């Protein structure tokens, strides 16, 4: 299936831990994104990569570090997790000027 | 700068009646506008997009939206609601051209009553 897939779907972990979320798209898109959706459903962009180059970097704590090994992958690593990091994280991809395609989200819960 | 305002956080309709979800945008340039739907525990799915072609845009599942520049609006409508339409709907604005950041509205939760 052509899609944006992210793993894991659910992530429950302790405060202070380091965790990664992986994202892969097989749509041939050249741009990938990470969004955070809070408990009120508000979506905020965090990062965007075009052809492995960082093009959007919103005001995000530097505990969050995206890594794009190739055009089809954009992973999100989070250090020293805090309670406020609990949210749903969405990966998306697009081709220039085209709408974004979203993954199903990763539900991160910090204990 | 760009912004988008979804005027209603919740909309409740009876099955078979029309749906209207309101969206107003603000931008200092020619925008692209989108509507996305999010079903529970799912990602966002594109319903329709406006990119400076026809002002009345038809999307999937019977939805359509009309771009009205004079009113800076892009309201989403459907003639007859189905139970399966119950979801969260997001209006999105983006500057046309290039790799531009998108701005999401705060969402409208649509409830469909049987």
């Amino acid at each position: 299936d052509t899609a944006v897939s992210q793993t894991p779907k659910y992530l429950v972990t302790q405060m202070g831990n380091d965790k990664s979320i992986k994202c892969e798209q097989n749509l041939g898109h050249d741009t990938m994104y990470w969004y955070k959706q809070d408990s009120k459903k508000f979506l905020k962009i965090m990062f965007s990569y075009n052809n492995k180059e960082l093009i959007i970097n919103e005001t995000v704590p530097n505990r969050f570090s995206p890594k794009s090994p190739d055009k089809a992958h954009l992973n999100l690593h989070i250090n020293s997790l805090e309670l406020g990091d609990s949210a749903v994280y969405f990966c998306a991809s697009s081709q220039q000027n085209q709408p974004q395609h979203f993954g199903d989200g990763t539900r991160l819960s910090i204990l | 700068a760009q912004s988008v305002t979804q005027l209603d956080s919740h909309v409740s309709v009876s099955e078979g009646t029309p749906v209207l979800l309101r969206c107003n945008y603000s931008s200092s340039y020619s925008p692209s506008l989108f509507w996305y739907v999010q079903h529970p525990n799912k990602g966002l799915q594109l319903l329709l997009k406006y990119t400076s072609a026809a002002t009345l845009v038809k999307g999937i599942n019977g939805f359509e939206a009309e771009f009205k520049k004079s009113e800076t609006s892009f309201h989403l409508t459907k003639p007859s609601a189905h139970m399966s339409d119950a979801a969260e709907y997001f209006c999105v604005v983006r500057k046309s051209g290039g790799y531009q950041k998108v701005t999401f509205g705060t969402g409208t939760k649509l409830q469909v009553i049987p």
Side-chain angles (χ1 to χ4, degrees):
Chain A
D1 286 345
T2 54
V4 179
S5 57
Q6 27 182 138
T7 55
K9 187 166 185 175
Y10 298 95
L11 185 52
V12 182
T13 189
Q14 302 267 2
M15 215 165 48
N17 284 351
D18 303 338
K19 290 293 177 185
S20 291
I21 308 171
K22 295 186 176 182
C23 180
E24 176 182 7
Q25 56 94 5
N26 60 6
L27 298 164
H29 291 162
D30 60 3
T31 307
M32 296 185 72
Y33 312 80
W34 275 109
Y35 288 86
K36 180 180 180 180
Q37 186 176 45
D38 62 23
S39 58
K40 294 184 179 179
K41 301 290 187 183
F42 183 65
L43 269 155
K44 185 173 169 55
I45 191 164
M46 301 172 69
F47 301 104
S48 177
Y49 271 72
N50 172 249
N51 287 321
K52 303 197 304 174
E53 301 266 342
L54 181 66
I55 55 171
I56 293 174
N57 184 358
E58 290 298 292
T59 307
V60 176
N62 56 16
R63 298 182 294 105
F64 290 79
S65 53
K67 285 188 172 50
S68 182
D70 55 57
K71 279 187 356 176
H73 296 84
L74 180 62
N75 303 323
L76 183 65
H77 188 76
I78 315 170
N79 289 328
S80 302
L81 280 157
E82 299 177 358
L83 289 174
D85 298 333
S86 294
V88 183
Y89 292 84
F90 284 99
C91 179
S93 72
S94 73
Q95 196 62 21
Q96 184 179 9
N97 289 336
Q98 297 303 311
Q100 296 174 23
H101 294 246
F102 285 80
D104 283 346
T106 295
R107 285 141 191 87
L108 174 62
S109 297
I110 309 301
L111 304 177
Chain B
Q2 63 190 21
S3 66
V4 61
T5 302
Q6 292 184 242
L7 297 154
D8 307 295
S9 59
H10 287 84
V11 170
S12 184
V13 301
S14 297
E15 192 176 15
T17 64
V19 175
L20 170 64
L21 305 183
R22 298 183 294 166
C23 172
N24 285 95
Y25 70 92
S26 171
S27 78
S28 52
Y29 37 73
S30 177
S32 294
L33 292 156
F34 310 84
W35 275 98
Y36 282 84
V37 60
Q38 183 181 25
H39 287 96
N41 297 318
K42 287 290 186 183
L44 281 77
Q45 180 186 18
L46 180 70
L47 278 178
L48 50 79
K49 62 178 180 179
Y50 165 77
T51 53
S52 76
T55 55
L56 182 62
V57 182
K58 293 190 184 299
I60 62 171
N61 302 335
F63 284 95
E64 62 181 39
E66 187 170 8
F67 173 72
K68 291 187 176 180
K69 187 174 181 179
S70 60
E71 299 176 11
T72 60
S73 69
F74 190 58
H75 301 333
L76 182 70
T77 60
K78 182 173 180 177
S80 176
H82 294 166
M83 294 300 296
S84 60
D85 294 329
E88 192 90 24
Y89 291 79
F90 293 92
C91 184
V92 178
V93 64
R94 188 192 73 194
K95 182 178 178 182
S96 296
Y99 300 98
Q100 303 293 345
K101 185 176 71 173
V102 300
T103 300
F104 280 78
T106 49
T108 299
K109 185 170 185 175
L110 176 64
Q111 181 186 19
V112 182
I113 303 167

